[in-house]
Amino acid sequence: DWRRQGIAETLLCKCEEQLRMPQVKLTVRRSNTVAIRLYEKLGYKQVDIWSRYYQGGEDGLVLAKEMTWV
């Protein structure tokens, strides 16, 4: 019931504002295409892959975003 209401986008944007860092990085499961689409929509780009990062051996995609306020 809570999907597609903009909650994740709003939460991530608020977290970015609070961090006030020149760059923000995060890791997401390669299979989590819904989250990857959201991150890309918000300006994140893939910068690395951590092989077998998650339990069960799934790779983690490392995404980064350069922040504009710094």
Side-chain angles (χ1 to χ4, degrees):
D1 292 340
W2 298 100
R3 289 185 176 222
R4 304 199 51 84
Q5 294 186 29
I7 296 168
E9 182 174 346
T10 300
L11 181 60
L12 182 56
C13 290
K14 292 292 183 184
C15 288
E16 291 172 351
E17 289 172 17
Q18 292 293 314
L19 287 171
R20 302 296 291 182
M21 299 295 291
Q23 184 183 64
V24 176
K25 287 185 178 180
L26 53 83
T27 307
V28 62
R29 286 181 178 270
R30 181 187 293 270
S31 64
N32 193 343
T33 56
V34 173
I36 293 167
R37 277 197 307 267
L38 171 64
Y39 299 141
E40 289 175 342
K41 173 185 167 189
L42 295 176
Y44 285 82
K45 306 283 185 210
Q46 182 178 329
V47 296
D48 203 356
I49 299 174
W50 291 345
S51 296
R52 302 179 53 88
Y53 178 73
Y54 288 98
Q55 186 173 352
E58 187 171 0
D59 294 343
L61 303 182
V62 181
L63 307 178
K65 178 179 177 180
E66 301 296 326
M67 306 311 290
T68 57
W69 56 65
V70 178

